[in-house]
Amino acid sequence: MFTDPSFVRRLESLYLLARKVLSGSLQADRKTTRKGAGITFADYAEYRLGDDFRSIDWRIYAKFESLIIKLFELEEDATIYLLVDGSRSMESKFRYARELAAALGYIALNSLDRLCVYGLADTLRPVVEPCRGRGKAMGMLKALEEMETFGGDTDFTLCAREFQARRKRKGVVIVISDFLFPGGFEEGLKYLQWHRHDLYCLQVQDDGDRRCDWKGDATLECVETGQTRRITVTPAEARAYEAAVAGWNESLREHCARSRIGLASTGPEVAFDTVIQEILRRGGLVA
Amino acid sequence: MTFLAPAFLWSLLALLPLAAIYFLKVKPRRRTTTAYFLWSRVLAEKQATSLLQRLRDLFSLLLMLLAFAAISLALAKPEFTSDERKDLILLIDHSASMSALEGGTSRLDAAKESAREIVRALDGNQRAAVVSIAREARFHSHLSASPRELLEAIDGIEPTDFPSNAAALRGFSDDTREGGDHRLLLLSDANFEEAASLPAEIELIKVGGPLGNAGITAADLQRLPDGSFGFFFRIASSFPETVEADLVLTHEGSGERIYKLIPLKIVPGENPPERFALPEAPDGAWTATLDLDDALEKDNRAYLTVPEPNPVRVAVATKDRFFFEVSVLSFERGAGILQLVDATPEVVLGTGSLEAGTTAAVVFAPSEASPHWGTPGEEVEVVAPRVVLDDHPILRHLEAESITFAGARQMTAPPGSLVLVESEAGTPLIFLTKQEGRGVVVVNLDPVASEFVLSPWFPVLIQGAALHLAGRGAEPVALYRPGDRVSVPGFREGQSSKVIAPDGTETAVAGPEYGPIEQLGFHSMESPVGSWRFGSTLATAVESLLDNSAIAATAGPLAKGHAPASWLIFLALVLLVAESVLYHRRKVG
């Protein structure tokens, strides 16, 4: 399935597009927003104790007698962490989420970045151990193909803590999930951001999440916990639910905007490669 | 309360399984959700109605039980009146008085609405017929159980200008008395003769109450011997007090000019007749209008005509002229039907023989031989004269059987003659003959010997014969009433006339009469002989006296309005809709 030649060809096309858009080379293939010791000028900054003397712009010092250093875009050998929501709430869009993860992982490995994939639910479960290089792409695809939903009630905060405990190295963390976490998403995202990860949220929801197209008496069952309750849904209640979901998604959008976290919302009705292309055309995984 | 179909009450037993079904626990469908925590938030806001939700099934069952009980009762056809549920014949009075307005609605409209209520109350097996009654009875729908057909028939009844004719009701009551298994319901204002003594078979549903109204109940306009006009009228009032009003007399040819205005003090009931002289009044169409705002407008106007004088010129060609001249003069003065002349007569009156010429003649006691009567023979004795053509214009106003035909002689009417009266032996006594283009009325009696010249029938016979021979009949009188018939003046067999009604409707008249008159107002009549106008006026006291308080309704118990079963079905529908809106749709989605 994920290792089918046709699917791999679609991933290869996305990689070529990524190369064209991001214009990187060798191990510094991926641009970040962080400033550092690269070769591309980014900005000026006042000299502070400990800064590299080599960065001081002596011409400015000669002219203004103030120590100013030049900043360059950091081009680094980045680590890409894919946190794929593997909880049972993702059942209906799990394949789609894995396709998105496969596309991003494929581009990362072909860009010589380090890649690590985890499944998250009530706990964190490794899917692809840290790896690097094009040769690991098929293994990564195979692992995603075999990935299954698991666990009970999703606890994103706990998963974030577990992730940070396992992977201390900073990197780009891409969370692929519906973000319908009963415990909320803010704390987990803040925790990861606190540990200086570049964060990007890829929200995947389908109509079943966003809308209630049934009415009447029903036994409502939570797909993750199996919890049930008898309810009667009238048009008013259906509208209230849809408004609640919309409000939840809006709060995610506001939080990401406020915290400079990249966010893209999509659903299975849009082909995964279309979503990736759109992200790439917008300049990559930047907020 | 009674039930017409009580067997259907057994259907109430169906409520038991219905209740049983409700008490069976139905497992609701299972719905999975990915956002259970969001659902919990939404439903937490609905906690206040949780008690109502718990009682929902009970309320739902209650509503359904009530709905099904209502349907069962409707099937059993409950009745709150002791209506016998026989077939109904609805006799709806649409005479002139039914056009009276009461609170902006005519009595006829009220009667029709009442009839509709009765039709709506018909059960499925009961039938009704719709009949309009005024001058005559007319079926608009024969016995039918179809409410739609009956309602259409009721809608089709229009007001008329005819006075009520109680005789039209008698046929129905006779039929019912002879075993007709139906009820006769008369919806009327009871403003007709015999309203107080209606046959027991006719149940009166009285429409409308006493109304204040005044109307012209009689009127006449005649030319007087001095050339002026005499105007006669009579007013009747159902106002409880004396009212004042003006009677305005206008002539059609003078535009809207008021010819005479007569102030009146109208007392309740029938007022005494009044008579006025109108000097120098022109011939033609006159309108008398009672200027009063009352319940019925139709009776406030009288349409009168005075034809232009056109007398038949009559000469007397006999030695004993006195009685002949008196007879002619008696029709010359006043009405101006005949005119006594010496020269250029249209008709000659004579005795014994007939002068040469072509002038039409009336000849009494023919004695000399003539092509018009042959050669008279011996006298014959006439004991019992026999009228052959009773309705001939010459005999119309004559009692020929009472005439003593003394001096009658044996004779034979020429071929083609029209014998009007003959003896028991077949001797022609009065006959009309036309020889060589000359019309002659032969009266086979000696007017002196029989003392016929002293009889009032003598001038009548002369007038009838003269008019007929001159080709003129009785011209229209001053006033007609709706339902009257109007003779065509000077009618001849094969002659066709035309009458134009006030609304412009043209009617071809092939016979000697036009009628019955249907509309109020001036009519025009045109025939080959001439043209005339005549007016039609309600002029019926019983139609104007609109106080019907003395007449009581006699109708027995009668179901009206929508049947209780209909209301129960409506209630069931409301309950089912309420259950669906409140509970069922919520329950099944």
Side-chain angles (χ1 to χ4, degrees):
Chain A
M1 191 170 64
F2 283 12
T3 52
D4 281 351
S6 59
F7 184 75
V8 175
R9 271 197 297 276
R10 290 171 73 182
L11 300 183
E12 187 64 25
S13 300
L14 289 173
Y15 165 63
L16 294 174
L17 178 66
R19 279 194 66 82
K20 184 180 176 185
V21 170
L22 300 177
S23 306
S25 62
L26 294 176
Q27 66 181 39
D29 252 3
R30 197 189 64 81
K31 284 196 282 192
T32 79
T33 56
R34 291 162 53 200
K35 311 296 185 290
I39 55 171
T40 307
F41 173 76
D43 203 353
Y44 287 105
E46 197 176 339
Y47 174 78
R48 291 185 180 183
L49 191 64
D51 283 344
D52 190 349
F53 298 148
R54 292 174 295 181
S55 302
I56 296 173
D57 190 329
W58 296 109
R59 291 182 182 176
I60 293 177
Y61 177 74
K63 201 171 182 178
F64 300 108
E65 292 186 347
S66 62
L67 289 172
I68 300 296
I69 60 168
K70 287 201 276 188
L71 297 178
F72 297 89
E73 286 186 352
L74 178 63
E75 294 173 352
E76 60 184 358
D77 173 10
T79 302
I80 309 294
Y81 299 107
L82 294 177
L83 302 185
V84 182
D85 189 348
S87 65
R88 299 197 193 284
S89 70
M90 292 292 289
E91 202 74 63
S92 60
K93 57 257 182 192
F94 192 50
R95 176 187 168 86
Y96 185 71
R98 285 182 295 154
E99 285 173 347
L100 290 170
L104 293 169
Y106 190 86
I107 293 170
L109 289 175
N110 280 280
S111 302
L112 304 179
D113 287 330
R114 286 165 61 84
L115 176 69
C116 186
V117 182
Y118 285 99
L120 64 89
D122 52 351
T123 182
L124 199 68
R125 183 178 288 183
V127 178
V128 178
E129 291 295 340
C131 59
R132 181 176 172 180
R134 292 186 179 89
K136 302 293 183 181
M138 291 308 287
M140 179 268 298
L141 294 176
K142 185 83 176 162
L144 285 173
E145 186 177 306
E146 291 172 353
M147 185 181 176
E148 291 180 350
T149 56
F150 65 95
D153 212 4
T154 309
D155 189 341
F156 180 58
T157 308
L158 179 68
C159 290
R161 289 180 188 281
E162 263 188 59
F163 169 75
Q164 187 56 36
R166 291 186 189 188
R167 300 294 164 197
K168 303 223 181 276
R169 182 173 177 170
K170 293 185 287 289
V172 177
V173 178
I174 303 170
V175 184
I176 303 173
S177 170
D178 54 13
F179 285 90
L180 296 172
F181 305 137
F185 47 77
E186 292 91 343
E187 197 178 338
L189 292 177
K190 278 180 187 170
Y191 186 82
L192 291 173
Q193 210 171 20
W194 174 257
H195 289 88
R196 304 188 63 135
H197 291 291
D198 281 344
L199 265 179
Y200 196 88
C201 298
L202 202 47
Q203 188 185 29
V204 178
Q205 284 184 347
D206 61 8
D207 272 354
D209 299 319
R210 291 185 290 253
R211 299 185 56 198
C212 173
D213 53 2
W214 50 272
K215 311 283 184 305
D217 282 355
T219 299
L220 190 67
E221 180 182 9
C222 177
V223 291
E224 293 186 351
T225 62
Q227 195 177 352
T228 61
R229 70 181 292 176
R230 291 278 295 273
I231 63 168
T232 299
V233 176
T234 64
E237 271 110 27
R239 282 194 299 274
Y241 168 76
E242 289 170 6
V245 173
W248 182 266
N249 291 339
E250 180 60 20
S251 68
L252 174 65
R253 191 192 65 76
E254 284 177 3
H255 180 82
C256 290
R258 201 166 47 242
S259 308
R260 297 180 59 79
I261 299 171
L263 171 68
S265 295
T266 184
E269 66 276 6
V270 185
F272 76 92
D273 35 8
T274 305
V275 176
I276 301 298
Q277 285 170 19
E278 186 62 28
I279 291 171
L280 292 172
R281 286 200 176 98
R282 279 184 357 211
L285 297 171
V286 290
Chain B
M1 185 173 73
T2 57
F3 292 95
L4 298 179
F8 278 101
L9 290 175
W10 287 105
S11 61
L12 287 170
L13 291 175
L15 299 181
L16 297 176
L18 175 67
I21 290 169
Y22 258 77
F23 285 115
L24 289 176
K25 293 290 180 189
V26 179
K27 193 174 180 182
R29 280 166 293 180
R30 184 172 287 268
R31 304 277 189 183
T32 57
T33 179
T34 56
Y36 188 85
F37 65 101
L38 289 179
W39 272 115
S40 297
R41 288 185 196 176
V42 168
L43 298 171
E45 297 168 7
K46 300 282 181 180
Q47 286 301 316
T49 59
S50 58
L51 176 63
L52 192 63
Q53 285 186 352
R54 281 197 292 274
L55 293 174
R56 187 188 63 185
D57 283 352
L58 198 58
F59 284 140
S60 171
L61 171 62
L62 192 62
L63 288 176
M64 293 296 281
L65 288 177
L66 286 173
F68 276 84
I71 291 170
S72 297
L73 290 173
L75 290 172
K77 295 183 180 175
E79 281 279 302
F80 296 104
T81 62
S82 55
D83 187 352
E84 298 170 280
R85 289 293 181 181
K86 285 181 176 178
D87 289 343
L88 305 175
I89 295 180
L90 304 175
L91 306 167
I92 300 175
D93 183 359
H94 64 146
S95 62
S97 64
M98 293 293 283
S99 296
L101 296 175
E102 197 167 350
T105 306
S106 73
R107 286 175 166 181
L108 178 61
D109 287 338
K112 286 162 75 173
E113 185 53 37
S114 187
R116 288 189 195 101
E117 290 288 304
I118 294 170
V119 167
R120 288 189 193 109
L122 295 178
D123 68 12
N125 301 321
Q126 196 178 14
R127 297 178 302 168
V130 177
V131 183
S132 62
I133 289 272
R135 178 177 174 273
E136 58 189 7
R138 183 187 157 215
F139 272 88
H140 290 258
S141 166
H142 287 278
L143 282 172
S144 168
S146 163
R148 184 178 170 184
E149 182 183 336
L150 295 168
L151 291 174
E152 283 178 358
I154 292 168
D155 290 342
I157 296 176
E158 299 289 340
T160 67
D161 297 329
F162 291 118
S164 298
N165 179 13
L169 291 171
R170 289 191 202 110
F172 288 98
S173 60
D174 292 345
D175 179 43
T176 306
R177 198 178 301 125
E178 289 166 9
D181 189 22
H182 50 251
R183 291 176 68 182
L184 290 174
L185 299 171
L186 173 62
L187 295 100
S188 170
D189 57 0
N191 279 110
F192 56 90
E193 302 286 353
E194 304 176 25
S197 57
L198 275 176
E201 295 77 21
I202 297 176
E203 303 176 43
L204 175 65
I205 298 174
K206 200 171 86 170
V207 178
L211 292 175
N213 181 65
I216 301 168
T217 58
D220 198 6
L221 192 62
Q222 292 287 340
R223 182 179 287 104
L224 300 176
D226 62 358
S228 66
F229 280 9
F231 174 52
F232 160 89
F233 67 91
R234 193 168 189 188
I235 306 286
S237 169
S238 60
F239 282 103
E241 70 285 346
T242 300
V243 294
E244 294 186 357
D246 294 331
L247 187 69
V248 181
L249 202 58
T250 54
H251 182 256
E252 191 181 58
S254 307
E256 294 298 317
R257 190 171 71 85
I258 298 173
Y259 192 85
K260 190 172 184 62
L261 190 143
I262 306 167
L264 300 173
K265 280 192 175 180
I266 305 170
V267 299
E270 289 201 71
N271 286 234
E274 296 192 47
R275 184 173 176 277
F276 288 86
L278 307 176
E280 299 178 4
D283 305 315
W286 289 77
T287 305
T289 305
L290 185 62
D291 190 8
L292 182 66
D293 185 16
D294 56 5
L296 184 62
E297 194 183 351
K298 290 181 176 182
D299 61 354
N300 288 357
R301 193 165 288 196
Y303 302 93
L304 305 154
T305 55
V306 179
E308 188 181 351
N310 185 19
V312 179
R313 298 186 303 278
V314 181
V316 178
T318 179
K319 286 184 286 185
D320 303 322
R321 300 171 61 89
F322 177 75
F323 290 106
F324 289 93
E325 287 180 354
V326 168
S327 297
V328 174
L329 289 173
S330 66
F331 284 96
E332 181 176 339
R333 297 184 185 119
I337 296 171
L338 304 179
Q339 184 183 12
L340 185 64
V341 295
D342 294 327
T344 62
E346 294 174 87
V347 178
V348 176
L349 304 179
T351 55
S353 61
L354 188 62
E355 291 182 352
T358 58
T359 307
V362 182
V363 179
F364 289 81
S367 56
E368 297 179 7
S370 166
H372 291 88
W373 56 76
T375 304
E378 296 297 320
E379 279 194 15
V380 294
E381 186 180 0
V382 179
V383 178
R386 187 159 57 87
V387 177
V388 180
L389 291 172
D390 190 26
D391 59 346
H392 193 274
I394 296 176
L395 303 183
R396 186 168 297 160
H397 306 292
L398 194 68
E399 287 185 13
E401 298 91 339
S402 64
I403 298 173
T404 303
F405 285 86
R409 302 177 70 168
Q410 181 66 46
M411 64 179 64
T412 305
S417 300
L418 192 64
V419 177
L420 307 180
V421 183
E422 63 183 12
S423 70
E424 61 274 23
T427 302
L429 300 175
I430 301 175
F431 61 93
L432 176 63
T433 181
K434 193 167 189 177
Q435 304 294 325
E436 300 168 356
R438 186 180 193 185
V440 176
V441 173
V442 180
V443 184
N444 186 8
L445 62 81
D446 186 340
V448 178
S450 65
E451 296 182 344
F452 185 48
V453 291
L454 301 177
S455 165
W457 303 128
F458 180 64
V460 172
L461 176 61
I462 288 176
Q463 180 251 11
L467 284 175
H468 185 73
L469 289 171
R472 291 201 275 283
E475 294 192 323
V477 297
L479 179 142
Y480 290 90
R481 291 181 172 83
D484 286 350
R485 306 186 76 84
V486 182
S487 297
V488 179
F491 173 76
R492 292 281 190 275
E493 281 301 330
Q495 173 186 307
S496 170
S497 310
K498 181 174 74 175
V499 172
I500 303 170
D503 67 353
T505 310
E506 288 190 11
T507 307
V509 181
E513 284 185 334
Y514 163 75
I517 298 172
E518 294 182 355
Q519 298 176 27
L520 299 176
F522 290 115
H523 296 63
S524 299
M525 177 183 284
E526 296 171 11
S527 81
V529 179
S531 62
W532 300 266
R533 301 200 70 194
F534 60 91
S536 168
T537 303
L538 182 57
T540 308
V542 74
E543 299 290 327
S544 295
L545 294 169
L546 299 180
D547 182 1
N548 57 3
S549 54
I551 310 294
T554 58
L558 184 67
K560 277 191 174 184
H562 290 287
S566 306
W567 289 112
L568 285 168
I569 292 291
F570 178 71
L571 174 66
L573 285 174
V574 169
L575 290 168
L576 289 172
V577 169
E579 199 279 337
S580 175
V581 170
L582 294 175
Y583 306 119
H584 191 75
R585 285 178 61 213
R586 291 168 58 101
K587 194 172 178 182
V588 301

